Amino acid sequence: MQEEYLSVYGNRFELHTKDGVQVYPEGFQSEKTRHRYEKINETLGQGYLEDLYDTVESTGLNLAETNRELLRRLVQGVTSEVGRALVGITFLQLTIKSIAPEQSIRLHKGTTRRGSFSWVDGISMRTLDSNYNTPFLREKGLLNVNKYGVFMTRSLAENYPYSKLYKADMRGPFQEWIDIVDALENKSMPARQGLLFLMALLKNRSDEFKQLAADVMTFVHEMPTVPFASIKDKLVRFFNGTEYSARAFEVVMHGFMQAMGECNLLGDHRLVPLSQMRSANKKHGNIGDIELKEGNVLVESWDAKYGKPYLRDELEELQDKILSSPGVKLAGFVVNSEPDRRREIVKRMAEIEAMTGVIIKIVSFDEWIAWQLGDLSSAQQDALGKRWLIAVAESFGQERMDIAPIDEPCEEWLKDLRAILKT
């Protein structure tokens, strides 16, 4: 069998496969492609996806089993850490192909503006995604992708056609994605039927998730009030035992502060909503994962550091963040284990305090909890513990998107939380 390869020239790409050679010239988007792009935009703007969504359950989904299995494997490849962007872009490519079958879904960039990379036959998939694809997926609860779109995963934006030879560092069901792209391009997968089936798969997952979330939240709400220490122990076992513990640790900490606010224990402070997992702190103006404001001024910040007790580099970054955020009075790190407080760390903390006037803390999770509890009575702590557990469960259950907008899939976290709570 002839080996596939991609030839890159100064003004074109040539993709050599067993089916022949596809030539993709670089340059301004052609008039024909522009008309296709306008058609896709117009169709989506008229509610194309919404109309399909309403017919999913009543449609026969006449799709070959090989194609069904390929789409199933794609969706099954989604975890809390990887795969969502690939499912999201597949959804977009199926949509594009179902509206304009002649449009190549390998060419994800196309423009008439100078200074920007473009294929003659390419379209701006990023624009279509941010305007239609991602908002639809999020609104319907089909896929918890970043609200800024699937192209926040920058490896999808390389200036190469999407093929088996696409060499960006992709994590997740890459092979399934490319096999689907190939199947759509060689017409072995009908785009509209593929889109309907993928929509059904995501909808089923969504229904299952809602039932799971309802089960966990019902269990939590009906639990009797137990000692605070018991709740804390369960949540510690949860974030230490679940997948992607670092993010779970952040949510548990943020849930604690949500509970503090609900019990009127934050005084004049207001809790800032949890940042999305892939939002860079610097880009979004955050200092830490848990932030408190007085009015519009950030005054207290805590950054969750799971599995990282030595924080020398983080202290340097913290200094820069503090200098760009006047008003901060306390900034700290919370480590799930015993933090490394060697002499150089303590010295650097003191230097930053002297330079900025901000109190700097590096504490363990146990110390942080004790710091927040202060002199609360046992009864107050126990009531707080119940609210804490509810806040964590509802955050993972997507019931607190205003204060805890968690975009990544929460199914496994909820299952793990339920298992621990029922032991």
Side-chain angles (χ1 to χ4, degrees):
M1 179 184 291
Q2 181 181 356
E3 185 176 359
E4 294 188 7
Y5 62 97
L6 180 70
S7 297
V8 181
Y9 298 91
N11 63 351
R12 70 190 189 279
F13 294 73
E14 291 183 1
L15 180 62
H16 299 253
T17 71
K18 58 182 177 59
D19 298 321
V21 180
Q22 292 292 324
V23 180
Y24 305 121
E26 290 181 34
F28 291 141
Q29 189 181 64
S30 70
E31 184 175 358
K32 184 183 294 185
T33 306
R34 181 174 58 81
H35 286 314
R36 285 199 299 268
Y37 186 54
E38 290 173 352
K39 174 186 176 183
I40 295 167
N41 269 288
E42 181 180 353
T43 303
L44 288 172
Q46 292 173 348
Y48 177 77
L49 290 174
E50 289 77 5
D51 291 343
L52 280 185
Y53 182 83
D54 291 336
T55 67
V56 168
E57 293 177 351
S58 61
T59 303
L61 298 177
N62 184 22
L63 193 66
E65 180 58 28
T66 53
N67 288 329
R68 289 179 179 235
E69 181 58 24
L70 193 54
L71 289 163
R72 286 193 199 103
R73 293 204 313 270
L74 176 81
V75 173
Q76 290 166 357
V78 176
T79 71
S80 62
E81 298 178 68
V82 300
R84 287 170 292 138
L86 289 177
V87 172
I89 195 171
T90 301
F91 196 96
L92 174 62
Q93 290 169 310
L94 284 161
T95 300
I96 292 169
K97 209 69 170 174
S98 66
I99 296 172
E102 66 276 25
Q103 175 59 46
S104 172
I105 53 169
R106 299 191 192 280
L107 308 180
H108 50 94
K109 294 185 179 182
T111 184
T112 56
R113 296 195 310 269
R114 293 187 180 278
S116 298
F117 179 86
S118 173
W119 282 289
V120 172
D121 300 313
I123 59 175
S124 176
M125 290 191 189
R126 182 179 190 133
T127 301
L128 290 173
D129 174 62
S130 61
N131 288 344
Y132 304 107
N133 189 60
T134 284
F136 173 81
L137 290 170
R138 286 174 59 87
E139 178 189 346
K140 298 300 183 183
L142 297 178
L143 190 67
N144 292 322
V145 291
N146 191 300
K147 68 180 179 181
Y148 300 109
V150 301
F151 285 89
M152 281 294 286
T153 302
R154 301 191 188 282
S155 51
L156 287 172
E158 298 288 344
N159 295 340
Y160 295 96
Y162 292 146
S163 74
K164 288 183 172 66
L165 303 170
Y166 191 70
K167 296 299 184 183
D169 183 20
M170 303 294 292
R171 301 173 63 207
F174 173 85
Q175 189 60 54
E176 287 77 8
W177 168 54
I178 287 300
D179 285 346
I180 292 167
V181 171
D182 289 346
L184 289 168
E185 287 296 297
N186 65 30
K187 301 180 181 179
S188 62
M189 177 184 290
R192 189 172 186 276
Q193 294 300 318
L195 177 60
L196 282 165
F197 188 70
L198 179 56
M199 198 178 288
L201 287 176
L202 295 177
K203 190 174 183 180
N204 287 340
R205 281 173 64 97
S206 177
D207 290 342
E208 292 173 6
F209 174 78
K210 289 174 182 176
Q211 183 58 52
L212 170 64
D215 178 39
V216 173
M217 285 183 280
T218 297
F219 182 84
V220 168
H221 279 279
E222 293 179 351
M223 277 181 61
T225 299
V226 298
F228 179 87
S230 176
I231 296 297
K232 177 187 165 190
D233 175 69
K234 288 180 183 294
L235 289 174
V236 169
R237 286 194 289 128
F238 161 69
F239 65 63
N240 279 330
T242 194
E243 61 179 34
Y244 197 49
S245 293
R247 179 59 164 171
F249 185 45
E250 293 174 12
V251 176
V252 168
M253 285 181 57
H254 198 273
F256 179 82
M257 297 307 286
Q258 292 176 44
M260 290 277 287
E262 292 166 11
C263 292
N264 299 313
L265 297 173
L266 294 181
D268 295 331
H269 293 175
R270 173 177 58 85
L271 180 64
V272 176
L274 183 68
S275 292
Q276 295 187 22
M277 181 174 66
R278 297 191 181 278
S279 296
N281 283 344
K282 271 190 177 180
K283 178 180 177 182
H284 290 264
N286 300 103
I287 294 180
D289 302 304
I290 288 83
E291 297 182 329
L292 298 174
K293 287 186 174 181
E294 286 183 2
N296 292 320
V297 179
L298 176 61
V299 294
E300 184 174 330
S301 170
W302 297 95
D303 210 15
K305 292 298 176 184
Y306 187 89
K308 192 169 186 182
Y310 179 70
L311 300 171
R312 185 67 170 83
D313 292 341
E314 284 75 9
L315 280 172
E316 300 306 321
E317 293 175 4
L318 178 62
Q319 175 181 302
D320 294 339
K321 293 175 183 177
I322 289 173
L323 291 174
S324 63
S325 185
V328 177
K329 299 176 182 177
L330 186 154
F333 298 98
V334 182
V335 181
N336 66 299
S337 58
E338 188 64 27
D340 187 332
R341 298 191 185 97
R342 67 184 70 181
R343 184 181 304 170
E344 64 173 280
I345 295 292
V346 174
K347 179 182 177 183
R348 189 64 184 124
M349 289 169 63
E351 290 172 349
I352 296 174
E353 286 184 335
M355 178 185 298
T356 64
V358 175
I359 298 171
I360 307 298
K361 296 280 186 181
I362 297 180
V363 298
S364 68
F365 181 67
D366 288 344
E367 291 169 334
W368 183 73
I369 292 291
W371 169 281
Q372 300 295 342
L373 291 178
D375 58 359
L376 292 182
S377 68
S378 295
Q380 288 176 306
Q381 291 187 24
D382 294 347
L384 175 64
K386 179 68 179 288
R387 292 306 315 167
W388 183 15
L389 188 55
I390 290 173
V392 170
E394 290 185 349
S395 294
F396 284 126
Q398 307 284 283
E399 293 293 321
R400 298 187 172 213
M401 295 299 282
D402 55 337
I403 192 69
I406 304 173
D407 282 337
E408 54 270 37
C410 295
E411 183 178 4
E412 293 304 316
W413 281 321
L414 277 176
K415 287 180 178 178
D416 291 342
L417 181 60
R418 179 176 61 180
I420 286 175
L421 293 178
K422 291 187 175 182
T423 56

